Amino acid sequence: MNPSSLCSLQTFPPISHSALLNRHCKPAYDSTARVRRRAVVCAERSSRASTRSADDYYATLKALKSKGRFPRKSLGQHYMLNSEINDQLAGAAGIEQGDIVLEIGPGTGSLTNVLLNSGAFVLAVEKDKHMAALVSERFSSSGKLKVLTEDIVKCHVRSHMSSLVGSTNSESRKAKVVANIPFNISTDVIKLFLPMGDIFSEVVLLLQEETAVRLVVSSLRTPEYRPINVFVNFYSEPEYKFKVPRTNFFPQPNVDAAVVSFKLKPPSEYPHVSSTKSFFSTVNSAFNEKRKMLRKSLQHICTALEIEEALTSIGLLATSRPEELTLDDFVKLHNMIAKD
């Protein structure tokens, strides 16, 4: 997430249980009956609050204060304050007893709590050592959590997942990724995990809403259609799940969020190309010169005439531009013009 989208935070608001209660219980009116009714309502709300999940605004501030921490702009830290959103996030991934889940950036552990209560084994990767310590301490007695103090984009995910699967004696079903990630690493995370269909069955992420829409909804012949759309559809079946208003985060970002599910394809179901590296190089080259026809932007691969002939042979115009090609079109074109 860009720093400009974060709220500048100098001090924490004071945490007070009485203030929390008074937030719902306004001063009574002069009528005795109204005073009594107000007292009953306040008592009922207080009782409900005592049974509600502790992962709310005040508990989050308390957890951060316990480590002397402030949300850090450099890490894109925005903490979820609504436990119902975490329930929906886990529900979107269909988390069940015995599932193995990789969580990115657990923070104070609000989503971790939901995942563990669903019966999952959780591998949490947290770059902030203070938050890693906090979540490790919070769930130290669970026996189902392993915390790594690492940067997820530099983490050796495959080796860690293999180790976790072996230690949990889990069934052969694949693991899942469920995470509320910093918006500024969304593309890195997607490029890292979507090609791991041999390990994970599904990746469910809470992303910036604009990014979520662009990844799932962007169609041909639109400015939003980009190489990442080809990449996403090559490795997965994306689905927009639901919107998450910005008011659910602390600090509050300047944009709303949304949850997207990527059902990963197993390697056997990837489109057939001679080389994925060569294929995506071709796609990226095509979009580097987006306003140009493919016969010009791909001339470093073969001649303009050869590209024109390849396009017409797959039912496209010789003057086609990259935003007019589907994933299947790019696969066919690559296979015809790719050099050994």
Side-chain angles (χ1 to χ4, degrees), residues 158-189:
R158 288 183 178 276
S159 61
H160 289 305
M161 289 305 301
S162 297
S163 175
L164 182 59
V165 169
S167 64
T168 57
N169 295 317
S170 176
E171 299 177 7
S172 59
R173 59 183 170 183
K174 295 178 182 178
K176 299 176 180 179
V177 179
V178 184
N180 167 17
I181 61 175
F183 296 165
N184 60 349
I185 64 169
S186 297
T187 301
D188 291 334
V189 169

Side-chain angles (χ1 to χ4, degrees), residues 141-161:
S141 62
S142 71
K144 291 188 175 182
L145 173 68
K146 180 178 181 180
V147 181
L148 300 175
T149 309
E150 295 188 34
D151 183 343
I152 188 61
V153 299
K154 299 177 182 178
C155 181
H156 296 289
V157 173
R158 288 183 178 276
S159 61
H160 289 305
M161 289 305 301

Side-chain angles (χ1 to χ4, degrees), residues 11 23 29 39 63 81 98 107 111 120 140 201 219 222 231 234:
T11 58
R23 193 161 58 107
Y29 298 97
L81 304 178
L111 176 57
S140 59
S201 63
S219 58
T222 64
F231 181 92
F234 188 98

Side-chain angles (χ1 to χ4, degrees), residues 40-335:
V40 170
V41 170
C42 287
E44 290 176 348
R45 287 177 175 172
S46 178
S47 176
R48 287 199 298 270
S50 66
T51 59
R52 196 179 295 143
S53 170
D55 292 298
D56 58 11
Y57 176 73
Y58 288 88
T60 298
L61 294 185
K62 184 177 180 180
L64 290 171
K65 273 190 169 183
S66 72
K67 295 294 181 182
R69 307 305 295 165
F70 293 89
R72 295 174 60 185
K73 291 183 179 181
S74 62
L75 297 180
Q77 292 175 331
H78 289 266
Y79 298 103
M80 173 57 63
L81 304 178
N82 188 339
S83 59
E84 291 183 2
I85 300 296
N86 287 324
D87 290 334
Q88 294 175 44
L89 187 56
I95 301 301
E96 300 177 349
Q97 183 77 28
D99 279 351
I100 296 178
V101 178
L102 187 148
E103 182 187 2
I104 304 165
T108 60
S110 60
L111 176 57
T112 315
N113 188 36
V114 171
L115 296 172
L116 291 173
N117 286 335
S118 299
F121 294 89
V122 179
L123 174 64
V125 183
E126 174 61 69
K127 184 177 181 179
D128 187 331
K129 64 180 181 181
H130 300 282
M131 293 297 99
L134 189 154
V135 79
S136 294
E137 293 168 9
R138 177 177 178 181
F139 303 108
S140 59
S141 62
S142 71
K144 291 188 175 182
L145 173 68
K146 180 178 181 180
V147 181
L148 300 175
T149 309
E150 295 188 34
D151 183 343
I152 188 61
V153 299
K154 299 177 182 178
C155 181
H156 296 289
V157 173
R158 288 183 178 276
S159 61
H160 289 305
M161 289 305 301
S162 297
S163 175
L164 182 59
V165 169
S167 64
T168 57
N169 295 317
S170 176
E171 299 177 7
S172 59
R173 59 183 170 183
K174 295 178 182 178
K176 299 176 180 179
V177 179
V178 184
N180 167 17
I181 61 175
F183 296 165
N184 60 349
I185 64 169
S186 297
T187 301
D188 291 334
V189 169
I190 288 168
K191 288 185 176 181
L192 174 65
F193 285 101
L194 264 56
M196 293 188 182
D198 56 325
I199 299 177
F200 300 102
S201 63
E202 190 168 4
V203 175
V204 179
L205 301 175
L206 199 158
L207 307 168
Q208 182 177 334
E209 187 188 26
E210 181 182 348
T211 300
V213 171
R214 188 169 67 245
L215 290 175
V216 178
V217 182
S218 294
S219 58
L220 297 177
R221 299 178 179 84
T222 64
E224 292 76 24
Y225 186 63
R226 302 174 183 178
I228 190 65
N229 296 105
V230 178
F231 181 92
V232 165
N233 286 283
F234 188 98
Y235 288 114
S236 73
E237 296 176 1
E239 181 182 355
Y240 182 103
K241 290 293 188 179
F242 57 90
K243 179 179 177 179
V244 180
R246 67 195 74 181
T247 52
N248 288 287
F249 298 92
F250 173 76
Q252 181 175 307
N254 293 332
V255 294
D256 293 324
V259 171
V260 174
S261 167
F262 303 90
K263 292 191 180 298
L264 303 194
K265 299 175 183 178
S268 60
E269 294 181 11
Y270 295 163
H272 178 69
V273 292
S274 56
S275 164
T276 55
K277 182 178 180 180
S278 173
F279 172 74
F280 288 114
S281 176
T282 299
V283 173
N284 289 329
S285 294
F287 280 90
N288 282 340
E289 302 288 347
K290 191 172 182 178
R291 295 186 178 182
K292 292 185 178 180
M293 298 176 192
L294 290 166
R295 66 188 182 190
K296 290 189 176 294
S297 60
L298 297 179
Q299 282 190 61
H300 65 288
I301 298 176
C302 56
T303 67
L305 179 60
E306 288 174 316
I307 294 170
E308 289 178 354
E309 291 175 346
L311 287 168
T312 55
S313 70
I314 60 176
L316 299 175
L317 295 176
T319 55
S320 293
R321 302 176 190 275
E323 67 270 19
E324 298 171 336
L325 273 66
T326 64
L327 167 63
D328 188 51
D329 291 334
F330 270 115
V331 169
K332 291 177 180 177
L333 178 62
H334 169 267
N335 290 341

